[in-house]
Amino acid sequence: MTVSPDLPNPDHVLRIAQELSLKVHQVAATTQLIKEGATVPFIARYRKEVTGELDEVAVLAIRDRMEQLTQLDERRLAIVGSLKERGLLTPQLEGALNAAATMTKLEDIYLPYRPKKRTRATIAKELGLEPLAELLWAQDFTTDPIAAAQPFIGREVEYENKKSKIENTDQVLAGARDILAERIADDAAAREKLRGLYRTNAVISSKVLTGKEAEGAKFKDYFDWTEPLAKAPSHRVLAMRRGEKELFLMMRITLPDEAAAPAELEPLFVKGRTAAGEQVRLAVQDACKRLLCPAMETEMRLDSKKRADEAAIKVFTDNLRELLLAAPLGQKAVMAVDPGFRTGCKIVLLDRQGKLLHNDVVYPDRHAVEASEKIKGFVEFFKVEAIAIGNGTAGRETEAFIRGLGLPPAIPVVMVNESGASIYSASEVAREEFPEHDLTVRGSVSIGRRLMDPLAELVKLDPKSIGVGQYQHDVDQSALKRSLDDTVVSSVNGVGVELNTASKQLLSYVSGLNAATAAAIVARRNEQGPFKSRADLLSVPRLGPKAFEQAAGFLRIRDSAHPLDSSAVHPESYPIVEKMAADVGVTVADLMRDGLARAKIRPENYVSEKVGLPTLTDILAELAKPGRDPRERFEAFSFQEGVNKPEDLKPGMKLPGIVTNVTAFGAFVDIGVHQDGLVHVSQLADSFVKDPATVVKPGQKVQVTVTEIDLPRNRIALSMRSNPQLGGRAPLGGAPATGPGPRPGARTGPGAAPRPAAPPARPPQSLNDDWFASALKKKR
């Protein structure tokens, strides 16, 4: 079907609607908006009437599926073009290609016609054995393969500058079977049947490479491991692949019974118990062993990797969203401290907008009196309203020192996760912001700003350096980047951005903007002063009407001449609000302040062809709480006093903690001892937990019980169960001994994860065993 590039493909629209259980008009309208340049946040927030109130998840699903189907079409066109060029395209073949609904089916159909390198089958064909192969393929009961092979004895073929001669009947029949084996291996039905067998019955296994036992000890749980592929969780698949990549393991995906593959395919090709049929049966066995099973193993490796990537990426994006949307302290004067007793504590003072006012270094361990006087003086002179302390080395000691200074109790002292701060301090962004300051000052600023507004600060970092991923360096990097970008865009636009104070990094994630337009906005702001209204955006170079339409509703201007500029009401809806205000005899500002005036509004009276009740309902909700931050209210958190290092822990201790990372096998929790503890998935709740993300999220405040401490290896086992068993008897499960691996420049780095589950029974495993190896994140 020929489709205008400006319109959605109707076949794709129908298919997506069916797959996602949506109405056709919803998919068509959403696809058209995306084609016209609308962003996902804009569509979900300001085009509800058009899409039938689809949320961001549904819009993203439509976008991604439409792209997949477009790629399928592009590949189909390339295949048809190749077949036409080589004179191989028939109406029947073209019909089959057009009917192929998946990339796998499309490639299966094309496989027999794909240009091949010289194979055993092509050599046999060069020897003229194809007529014999056809004779055997017919499987006539009168055919005598030995007699039929006699005329071909003595034939010669040249291969790699050497001549080969057929010397006997066995060689003739073997050559004919090579032709049949390739035909069987290229058969789309056979491949689909065998693919189904692998998906249902295949096992994934790994073994240690000879001589690598000591060097690859971190993978020892996978030295001899086997489990059903269909049930293998993502973290175990990725762990085995990593062990293979690092040349410690050999990973295979095979059928438990080698005879299962030919037994599955023989009924497709063997017609009966004839002498020729026996030759076809042998060809089926050869095709399975030499061609099809290796091809299926490759497919299953790719398929399992893709599924594992999707699961790992979902874990990462879910964790990232929670961190980005963490409760902000808000605009407060902050003193930020990057702890360090040996090298000194780096201190910066920030105003309510996060501007650096002053920096210094104090030495609480060597010059306690001087450090005390300086800090007290800073608090008083700069009117400090909160103190942020990085949770790196000496963080708890620094916290105890500051808490002991007798500062006003109204000033909260907050430990801040500084993962990624070193990445920021060495980045081009930080150098541009603070060209005259060194890394330590930049890192301290990042710690303070992260307390004030986590979202605004974290967008300056590559999400992979924030420290909430699981195998982030092993998954498809382009898919990971896209998902992370979607998450950041969704989070930024969900909160909204203050136009006159936002960094260009934050602005670049606003719907409709990019790095260039964000930089142009900041340049315009620096040259001409703050924007007085949203309409002023149209004066920014290279920011046209389309970009304005997409971005304006997500940008806020506090104290603007137009009161709606500080809200999420889109400028295109200003006339509606102005009419509402006029109808009840008040100004727009009064309407936003006066609940009684808003109660008089009947939204159905303002419905038009372009604006329906969903948008009108959103407008009234926004007028009630204009520019409301959807994030939770900030609550200060304190670790247990007197528990500053692993040596202070004892089994049975109940402690407050903060979840720092959630994985498929459990959650890491910071309990203030410079070493995160692991709450295994089996210890997250009294009931069975399949997905840890349903119970905990990064940044969540939790109460945990210490179940075991391994001081020599700095490992801590925790539980969130009401009656945890002490002594470290956690069940098998989780990730392998290598874990997520270090993050470049991050101040924390998860190592290996727990040992894999052994179905069906899972015997207890002590903390002293190797399943725990390096799973815990070590503070710098």
Side-chain angles (χ1 to χ4, degrees):
M1 175 184 290
T2 302
V3 180
S4 168
D6 297 326
L7 297 174
N9 185 310
D11 292 336
H12 293 173
V13 168
L14 290 171
R15 181 172 177 182
I16 294 172
Q18 183 178 17
E19 291 176 351
L20 301 181
S21 299
L22 297 173
K23 295 178 180 177
V24 172
H25 78 83
Q26 291 179 299
V27 178
T30 301
T31 304
Q32 185 61 34
L33 286 168
I34 292 172
K35 277 180 168 287
E36 293 171 356
T39 65
V40 172
F42 178 82
I43 294 170
R45 179 68 175 82
Y46 296 113
R47 291 296 179 264
K48 291 183 178 180
E49 287 82 4
V50 179
T51 68
E53 298 188 71
L54 294 182
D55 60 16
E56 284 192 13
V57 174
V59 176
L60 279 171
I62 292 171
R63 181 201 70 181
D64 293 345
R65 188 66 180 120
M66 187 61 75
E67 289 179 358
Q68 292 170 1
L69 294 176
T70 300
Q71 291 171 2
L72 178 65
D73 283 347
E74 291 172 352
R75 177 59 180 156
R76 193 188 335 264
L77 286 173
I79 288 173
V80 169
S82 173
L83 292 171
K84 279 183 179 179
E85 186 178 330
R86 290 180 286 138
L88 298 174
L89 187 65
T90 64
Q92 183 179 5
L93 179 56
E94 186 172 15
L97 290 170
N98 288 333
T102 65
M103 194 71 78
T104 300
K105 182 66 175 175
L106 186 66
E107 296 295 348
D108 278 354
I109 296 170
Y110 179 52
L111 185 60
Y113 308 95
R114 182 194 295 274
K116 293 182 175 68
K117 295 180 180 178
R118 204 161 187 248
T119 64
R120 283 166 51 170
T122 57
I123 294 172
K125 290 176 182 178
E126 290 170 7
L127 285 166
L129 298 180
E130 199 159 13
L132 176 59
E134 294 295 342
L135 184 65
L136 298 176
W137 188 253
Q139 300 175 62
D140 190 282
F141 73 94
T142 63
T143 299
D144 180 354
I146 294 177
Q150 298 306 311
F152 299 94
I153 297 174
R155 292 193 177 187
E156 292 184 346
V157 67
E158 186 173 318
Y159 179 60
E160 294 182 349
N161 297 322
K162 293 182 181 179
K163 288 188 176 181
S164 296
K165 183 178 181 180
I166 301 179
E167 298 181 350
N168 54 52
T169 302
D170 289 341
Q171 290 180 357
V172 173
L173 293 176
R177 291 198 300 271
D178 286 341
I179 295 173
L180 298 182
E182 186 168 277
R183 180 181 300 178
I184 292 165
D186 287 350
D187 185 85
R191 295 180 76 87
E192 187 58 33
K193 197 171 183 64
L194 195 56
R195 189 177 289 118
L197 182 67
Y198 265 78
R199 285 174 176 162
T200 304
N201 298 333
V203 295
I204 184 170
S205 61
S206 62
K207 292 186 179 297
V208 64
L209 294 177
T210 304
K212 294 284 188 175
E213 291 84 356
E215 190 180 356
K218 62 182 178 180
F219 292 100
K220 69 176 295 186
D221 297 316
Y222 289 87
F223 282 2
D224 188 15
W225 179 258
T226 300
E227 69 177 311
L229 177 64
K231 296 182 179 180
S234 64
H235 49 278
R236 290 211 285 266
V237 172
L238 293 172
M240 283 183 264
R241 290 183 67 95
R242 181 186 289 181
E244 183 179 53
K245 183 178 180 181
E246 295 181 11
L247 304 180
F248 296 122
L249 301 175
M250 178 180 69
M251 188 188 89
R252 295 292 309 277
I253 295 177
T254 57
L255 293 172
D257 181 4
E258 291 184 0
E264 188 81 3
L265 298 189
E266 281 178 16
L268 293 179
F269 303 105
V270 181
K271 298 177 181 179
R273 295 186 177 182
T274 64
E278 176 62 17
Q279 293 297 315
V280 175
R281 188 181 67 80
L282 292 174
V284 170
Q285 292 179 345
D286 179 45
C288 288
K289 181 177 181 179
R290 183 169 57 86
L291 301 172
L292 275 171
C293 286
M296 287 300 110
E297 179 173 11
T298 299
E299 271 196 34
M300 293 302 109
R301 287 175 68 98
L302 293 173
D303 185 59
S304 62
K305 172 65 161 55
K306 182 179 179 181
R307 287 186 287 109
D309 282 0
E310 290 172 351
I313 288 172
K314 184 180 185 305
V315 169
F316 198 160
T317 55
D318 288 348
N319 288 345
L320 177 63
R321 183 181 298 276
E322 295 297 338
L323 276 189
L324 292 174
L325 297 180
L329 175 67
Q331 293 188 323
K332 304 284 187 182
V334 170
M335 180 170 73
V337 183
D338 186 355
F341 267 38
R342 184 178 60 82
T343 57
C345 294
K346 278 65 70 178
I347 293 180
V348 299
L349 285 304
L350 308 175
D351 69 10
R352 290 187 169 192
Q353 283 70 46
K355 180 182 178 182
L356 175 62
L357 302 176
H358 182 70
N359 70 91
D360 206 335
V361 180
V362 300
Y363 300 87
D365 60 332
R366 286 177 281 165
H367 307 288
V369 175
E370 179 185 350
S372 174
E373 292 303 317
K374 275 192 174 183
I375 291 173
K376 289 179 180 178
F378 292 152
V379 170
E380 182 177 355
F381 182 82
F382 291 100
K383 295 181 172 46
V384 170
E385 298 171 276
I387 298 174
I389 302 174
N391 68 341
T393 303
R396 291 303 309 282
E397 293 83 351
T398 302
E399 178 194 22
F401 176 78
I402 290 178
R403 288 187 183 278
L405 297 181
L407 298 176
I411 300 176
V413 178
V414 183
M415 297 293 293
V416 176
N417 188 336
E418 60 180 41
S419 180
S422 60
I423 294 287
Y424 165 78
S425 62
S427 70
E428 184 61 36
V429 174
R431 286 195 295 271
E432 184 179 332
E433 277 194 280
F434 305 106
E436 298 179 358
H437 295 285
D438 63 18
L439 300 176
T440 62
V441 173
R442 299 169 190 163
S444 302
V445 170
S446 181
I447 291 169
R449 288 178 173 174
R450 197 174 296 190
L451 175 63
M452 298 169 71
D453 190 342
L455 176 61
E457 195 63 20
L458 290 174
V459 295
K460 299 176 183 177
L461 296 170
D462 179 344
K464 288 186 289 185
S465 69
I466 295 175
V468 291
Q470 173 189 330
Y471 294 97
Q472 64 231 42
H473 302 293
D474 297 289
V475 302
D476 183 305
Q477 294 300 294
S478 60
L480 175 62
K481 183 179 186 308
R482 185 168 206 203
S483 292
L484 294 177
D485 285 346
D486 284 341
T487 301
V488 177
V489 167
S490 173
S491 301
V492 168
N493 289 282
V495 171
V497 173
E498 176 58 39
L499 179 59
N500 284 323
T501 59
S503 67
K504 66 181 180 182
Q505 289 77 27
L506 183 58
L507 286 167
S508 68
Y509 285 106
V510 172
S511 168
L513 303 183
N514 54 37
T517 49
I521 287 172
V522 173
R524 154 66 171 76
R525 195 172 67 197
N526 292 338
E527 293 169 4
Q528 301 181 34
F531 288 88
K532 293 181 173 57
S533 71
R534 282 170 166 167
D536 290 346
L537 279 167
L538 291 169
S539 66
V540 175
R542 298 188 298 279
L543 199 156
K546 186 66 177 180
F548 177 81
E549 175 197 60
Q550 299 292 308
F554 302 104
L555 296 169
R556 312 280 185 266
I557 302 178
R558 195 178 293 109
D559 302 323
S560 169
H562 199 301
L564 292 176
D565 281 351
S566 64
S567 73
V569 177
H570 196 282
E572 66 188 9
S573 296
Y574 285 8
I576 298 173
V577 179
E578 289 164 356
K579 187 174 190 314
M580 288 177 176
D583 288 347
V584 295
V586 298
T587 66
V588 171
D590 289 337
L591 188 64
M592 297 170 72
R593 288 190 293 263
D594 190 347
L596 293 177
R598 290 194 302 274
K600 298 176 183 178
I601 302 296
R602 295 291 175 264
E604 57 271 15
N605 295 338
Y606 301 90
V607 173
S608 66
E609 290 184 3
K610 292 186 177 181
V611 181
L613 283 175
T615 292
L616 293 167
T617 301
D618 283 349
I619 288 173
L620 289 174
E622 184 63 21
L623 292 178
K625 295 181 179 179
R628 180 179 64 88
D629 194 321
R631 294 173 288 185
E632 295 178 0
R633 182 181 294 276
F634 178 83
E635 293 181 5
F637 172 86
S638 297
F639 291 111
Q640 181 73 45
E641 289 189 20
V643 179
N644 300 330
K645 52 188 182 299
E647 289 81 1
D648 297 330
L649 298 174
K650 293 181 181 178
M653 273 187 171
K654 295 187 181 298
L655 302 168
I658 295 180
V659 177
T660 58
N661 196 9
V662 178
T663 71
F665 52 84
F668 292 101
V669 178
D670 184 356
I671 53 175
V673 296
H674 311 309
Q675 180 74 51
D676 286 0
L678 175 65
V679 183
H680 187 266
V681 62
S682 63
Q683 299 296 310
L684 284 171
D686 291 334
S687 57
F688 173 76
V689 176
K690 180 179 181 181
D691 180 6
T694 61
V695 179
V696 288
K697 59 185 180 181
Q700 180 177 333
K701 300 171 180 65
V702 295
Q703 197 76 15
V704 297
T705 302
V706 179
T707 59
E708 188 175 359
I709 312 105
D710 185 346
L711 291 177
R713 293 185 290 178
N714 288 324
R715 296 168 190 169
I716 304 162
L718 305 172
S719 176
M720 290 172 56
R721 296 173 68 104
S722 58
N723 292 298
Q725 178 183 0
L726 305 185
R729 290 286 165 180
L732 289 172
T738 98
R743 297 179 305 282
R747 303 211 177 184
T748 60
R755 193 175 185 173
R762 299 196 295 180
Q765 177 84 357
S766 170
L767 180 63
N768 293 324
D769 293 318
D770 291 323
W771 72 271
F772 212 95
S774 326
L776 307 180
K777 297 195 300 181
K778 295 181 179 179
K779 302 299 179 185
R780 57 169 187 163

